[in-house]
Amino acid sequence: MAAVACVLAAVSACSSGGTTSPAPKPTPSTQPPTKPADPAETAKQQAIATYRSYWKAMERVYATAKLDGTDITKYAASAALSRPRNDIQNMQKDGSSFSGNVTVNNPTVTRADLDRKTPNVSISSCLDVSGWKVLDKDKKPVALPSKRLTKYVSLAVVERWPEGWRVIRDEPQAGQPC
């Protein structure tokens, strides 16, 4: 049996002309090797992605005037979660809601403290709420002052928790247009 196996192996290694072909030489890759991702840069990008997701969830919270059925608790905690909770109570009393969207422009990490027990990142962005409309209890747009600030600087702090990144503070900078 062992002899049969050796013969089969030898026959399969031969070409139809009775000579063996040399193994092909590996060709060099045309792409440069990829660098490993910088953990600090990855953390900053994750924090920015969480901040953007936070605002998408905030749109839903203010459109429905409730936290249930939104992803806000996946992206917000602490003061960043208290503010919509308080606003919702007032909105439910008067029946108001919001429609439209908020645009987060140019989110930039201004500080990263990633070596702490709870790593955090500070983000500055230009928040554009010009597409966000306040609706009354009949779902009709509420007239707002024409000279109101609709594009302003917002400063946020995002922390990395065991469950993922969370916005813990998001503060509009009154009087700072962008």
Side-chain angles (χ1 to χ4, degrees):
M1 286 290 225
V4 172
C6 287
V7 170
L8 287 175
V11 170
S12 66
C14 295
S15 67
S16 59
T19 61
T20 59
S21 301
K25 291 183 181 179
T27 58
S29 173
T30 58
Q31 295 181 350
T34 57
K35 292 190 326 188
D38 176 10
E41 192 58 36
T42 299
K44 291 174 187 178
Q45 292 306 314
Q46 290 171 342
I48 288 173
T50 297
Y51 184 65
R52 287 183 182 280
S53 295
Y54 161 78
W55 271 104
K56 286 295 168 199
M58 289 285 276
E59 287 175 3
R60 181 86 175 125
V61 166
Y62 284 87
T64 61
K66 60 184 178 177
L67 296 179
D68 295 338
T70 71
D71 289 336
I72 194 66
T73 57
K74 287 169 123 177
Y75 306 112
S78 213
L81 188 55
S82 295
R83 185 181 71 203
R85 278 191 174 130
N86 293 336
D87 289 349
I88 286 169
Q89 288 175 352
N90 293 329
M91 291 168 63
Q92 289 173 343
K93 285 178 191 173
D94 64 21
S96 65
S97 62
F98 286 67
S99 70
N101 61 347
V102 175
T103 305
V104 178
N105 292 312
N106 197 29
T108 305
V109 173
T110 58
R111 186 184 58 75
D113 195 353
L114 303 173
D115 295 326
R116 294 171 42 129
K117 182 178 178 185
T118 304
N120 67 62
V121 170
S122 295
I123 297 173
S124 175
S125 68
C126 179
L127 215 56
D128 180 352
V129 297
S130 60
W132 220 6
K133 308 296 179 215
V134 180
L135 306 176
D136 65 16
K137 65 181 179 207
D138 298 321
K139 303 298 178 203
K140 294 185 179 170
V142 173
L144 297 172
S146 61
K147 294 187 179 190
R148 71 186 176 104
L149 190 59
T150 60
K151 295 178 185 175
Y152 53 86
V153 174
S154 187
L155 301 178
V157 176
V158 186
E159 288 184 342
R160 183 169 43 208
W161 291 16
E163 304 83 20
W165 289 92
R166 298 289 187 272
V167 176
I168 60 163
R169 201 168 49 238
D170 187 29
E171 301 169 348
Q173 302 303 295
Q176 275 194 311
C178 53

